[in-house]
Amino acid sequence: MKQDATRNAAYTVDCEDYVHVVEFNPFESGDSGNLIAYGGSNYVVIGTCTFQEEEADIAGIQYKTLRTFQHGVRVDGIAWSPETRLDSLPPVIKFCTSAADMKIRLFTSDLQDKNEYKVLEGHSDFINGLVFEPKEGQELASVSDDHTCRIWNLEGMQTAHFVLHSPGMSVCWHPEETFKLMVAEKNGTIRFYDLLAQQAILSLESEQMPLMSAHWCLKNTFKVGAVAGNDWLIWDITRSSYPQDKRPVHMDQACLFRWSTVNENLFATTGYPGKMTSQFQIHHLGHPQPVLIGSVAVGSGLSWHRTLPLCAIGGDHKLLFWVTEM
């Protein structure tokens, strides 16, 4: 490992606005380029990026904007649909957003004439997480400060509704068993729901508050990670409902937790945007210290590349990308 873990982004892309959220498409979209979406104060940009780690004849990063969608209000969250395909004719771009007006917008585009969106209304407070059902993409789940988790179909109808004990902070869908949903609450409880029985089947406890973000490890679904207070926490759900491992990580309170999509021991955390200069870190469960500390003045959003150990966060008029060794 490198001795000096603190470093600047490997690649940057300039943007027209402060970037509030960024999401790599986690699904195979039928194209060699990687779809990425980012949200600003009133728009969403869909682009593709290819890195020199994938194609030797590229110097650094090759980025191209495919389309900008007017949004009219600040974008707080973005979730990709598995129905997105670049190799179909016409191509299909499908994603949803959560926004400062407490509404979900479902966008569909063929990157030509068809650019539609549908508004899903029902939450009465800020939406902190949303995700598509990963196999067919015919439903999506959202969690909110209004103490609910809601499941929606693509028509905008609610098909299920779970009352939570505190604000819902994160929601994840099991990649294979699509009747299983994970919901993390601010009070430190993470529950797993059976959508067929519409009831909770398992819960984990962080014993720390506030829990701000949790993520299901898709490479090993027995692993769950979260940030609560200043710490990151890791559970093995086969062993205990309490964390197996935890470590203090951000002095000014931790904000986001995301597992790598390519390595079950690799994950990233961020601190609160704008509080301190180095508030993005990549961790490996085999190492006592962060393997990478990203130095960035302000940053929000956090997303891993689908096939590389590469992380993106949003910054002030920038997308920032860090690469780590496996």
Side-chain angles (χ1 to χ4, degrees):
M1 300 301 301
K2 291 190 173 65
Q3 287 303 303
D4 178 24
T6 304
R7 50 186 190 264
N8 292 327
Y11 314 115
T12 59
V13 169
D14 290 331
C15 309
E16 293 163 35
D17 188 7
Y18 181 83
V19 177
H20 290 282
V21 60
V22 56
E23 288 292 341
F24 278 113
N25 178 16
F27 305 108
E28 168 63 63
S29 65
D31 187 81
S32 59
N34 308 279
L35 281 164
I36 191 166
Y38 66 90
S41 301
N42 54 17
Y43 62 81
V44 180
V45 175
I46 303 293
T48 58
C49 45
T50 310
F51 299 91
Q52 64 185 23
E53 283 77 6
E54 303 168 280
E55 293 191 20
D57 55 351
I58 288 170
I61 178 175
Q62 193 172 58
Y63 171 82
K64 178 181 158 207
T65 293
L66 296 179
R67 183 163 289 264
T68 300
F69 296 87
Q70 294 309 310
H71 198 265
V73 59
R74 187 187 75 225
V75 184
D76 289 339
I78 298 171
W80 283 96
S81 163
E83 290 193 281
T84 293
R85 300 298 298 182
L86 288 179
D87 59 354
S88 63
L89 282 172
V92 178
I93 296 283
K94 203 167 205 174
F95 63 95
C96 63
T97 62
S98 58
D101 60 3
M102 305 168 213
K103 293 172 185 169
I104 296 169
R105 288 165 177 79
L106 174 60
F107 288 83
T108 309
S109 170
D110 62 4
L111 297 176
Q112 288 146 24
D113 316 322
K114 181 187 171 189
N115 294 289
E116 306 167 354
Y117 75 88
K118 181 173 278 151
V119 178
L120 282 55
E121 295 186 64
H123 282 299
S124 58
D125 210 332
F126 289 116
I127 299 162
N128 297 313
L130 73 169
V131 64
F132 272 91
E133 184 278 303
K135 284 263 206 249
E136 309 291 328
Q138 295 306 297
E139 289 185 305
L140 54 111
S142 57
V143 290
S144 162
D145 280 351
D146 67 11
H147 295 211
T148 66
C149 168
R150 296 164 195 254
I151 313 290
W152 316 74
N153 64 22
L154 300 189
E155 275 22 273
M157 304 294 293
Q158 286 184 42
T159 57
H161 177 130
F162 300 105
V163 177
L164 311 177
H165 298 271
S166 69
M169 303 306 291
S170 297
V171 59
C172 300
W173 223 299
H174 192 289
E176 302 300 328
E177 300 167 30
T178 55
F179 58 90
K180 286 184 185 169
L181 196 71
M182 185 198 93
V183 175
E185 297 189 36
K186 199 170 190 173
N187 66 5
T189 302
I190 299 172
R191 280 192 188 79
F192 296 84
Y193 290 90
D194 179 326
L195 296 180
L196 303 176
Q198 298 217 352
Q199 63 182 17
I201 46 176
L202 177 73
S203 67
L204 308 175
E205 296 297 335
S206 73
E207 300 187 298
Q208 262 170 267
M209 294 192 299
L211 187 151
M212 297 307 292
S213 173
H215 198 213
W216 211 340
C217 180
L218 301 184
K219 291 294 279 183
N220 176 355
T221 51
F222 294 138
K223 279 185 182 172
V224 171
V227 286
N230 300 338
D231 297 358
W232 59 251
L233 309 104
I234 308 286
W235 289 260
D236 174 342
I237 63 174
T238 63
R239 295 175 68 177
S240 170
S241 58
Y242 296 102
Q244 295 288 120
D245 203 357
K246 70 175 191 179
R247 225 159 281 171
V249 57
H250 296 283
M251 302 318 296
D252 54 336
Q253 198 180 353
C255 185
L256 294 172
F257 182 107
R258 293 288 183 275
W259 289 103
S260 158
T261 49
V262 294
N263 183 328
E264 66 172 79
N265 293 311
L266 204 60
F267 60 95
T269 59
T270 65
Y272 258 72
K275 289 276 188 72
M276 287 166 65
T277 48
S278 68
Q279 78 329 346
F280 159 73
Q281 299 184 13
I282 294 181
H283 314 266
H284 190 287
L285 287 177
H287 294 271
Q289 300 298 325
V291 293
L292 189 152
I293 299 170
S295 174
V296 54
V298 286
S300 54
L302 174 61
S303 185
W304 285 91
H305 189 282
R306 192 173 64 84
T307 57
L308 294 174
L310 183 150
C311 234
I313 69 170
D316 189 6
H317 291 75
K318 274 189 181 61
L319 291 175
L320 303 136
F321 301 90
W322 275 268
V323 186
T324 184
E325 295 81 33
M326 290 283 270

